[in-house]
């Protein structure tokens, strides 16, 4: 085979291969970005619904909204988020025989850290010093 023809064939094959690899990598990045956007939207709805159940802001409708958000979060949440959610739900359940503010706060912190980790928001500080708090109108700390 002639050298110029061989070089042209190799160059063409390499160009096609590079284009194919670039296409597939770009598509994967787009899918990852869309998945992350979906997760963020579910987590945003979840936290918004949770905020509606705090203190005097809580209504039966807000409780139902939070229950729906907690149930649908299973579509996108990692297993660590789901485990933290279930621990939080156990801590705040009316059927909990030993409810405590400390258990609530600890479970909420674990849940928030798990969500942030699932969204690739890594804390700059030591996670043990992280303290997440929910705010609502009309409630004094």
């Amino acid at each position: 085979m002639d050298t110029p023809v061989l070089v042209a064939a190799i160059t063409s094959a390499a160009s096609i291969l590079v284009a194919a690899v670039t296409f597939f990598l770009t598509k994967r990045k787009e899918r990852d970005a869309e998945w992350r956007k979906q997760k963020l939207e579910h987590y945003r709805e979840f936290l918004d619904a949770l905020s509606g159940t705090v203190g005097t802001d809580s209504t039966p409708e807000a409780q139902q909204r939070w229950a729906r958000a907690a149930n649908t979060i299973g579509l996108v949440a990692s297993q660590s988020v789901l485990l933290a959610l279930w621990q939080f739900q156990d801590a705040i359940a009316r059927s909990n025989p030993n409810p405590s503010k400390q258990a609530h706060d600890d479970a909420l912190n674990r849940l928030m850290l798990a969500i942030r980790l699932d969204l690739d928001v890594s804390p700059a500080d030591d996670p043990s010093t992280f303290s997440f708090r929910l705010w609502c109108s009309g409630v004094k700390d």
Side-chain angles (χ1 to χ4, degrees):
M1 195 184 275
D2 217 4
T3 304
V5 172
L6 185 60
V7 169
I10 291 172
T11 303
S12 297
S15 296
I16 291 170
L17 181 64
V18 167
V21 168
T22 302
F23 173 78
F24 287 114
L25 290 176
T26 301
K27 282 296 181 184
R28 185 169 65 177
K29 285 271 191 200
E30 288 173 2
R31 281 191 304 271
D32 289 346
E34 183 61 31
W35 178 243
R36 187 176 165 129
K37 183 180 172 184
Q38 288 293 323
K39 282 176 126 177
L40 182 60
E41 198 53 45
H42 277 279
Y43 286 141
R44 181 177 291 138
E45 170 59 23
F46 172 75
L47 289 177
D48 192 38
L50 178 59
S51 296
T53 65
V54 177
T56 58
D57 291 348
S58 186
T59 64
E61 293 81 18
Q63 293 287 334
Q64 288 176 343
R65 182 175 173 220
W66 186 76
R68 277 192 307 275
N71 290 335
T72 59
I73 206 170
L75 294 171
V76 297
S78 67
Q79 187 172 354
S80 62
V81 171
L82 293 176
L83 292 173
L85 172 61
W86 297 332
Q87 289 173 349
F88 179 68
Q89 288 173 324
D90 289 343
I92 65 171
R94 289 189 176 132
S95 60
N96 182 353
N98 300 314
S100 77
K101 185 176 181 338
Q102 186 62 44
H104 168 278
D105 292 350
D106 291 345
L108 180 61
N109 281 337
R110 282 192 301 276
L111 176 59
M112 290 307 303
L113 286 171
I115 289 173
R116 292 169 58 89
L117 186 63
D118 196 31
L119 291 172
D120 292 328
V121 179
S122 56
D125 300 324
D126 179 12
S128 66
T129 63
F130 180 78
S131 180
F132 186 81
R133 295 166 55 179
L134 293 175
W135 296 91
C136 70
S137 60
V139 175
K140 296 178 183 173
D141 195 19

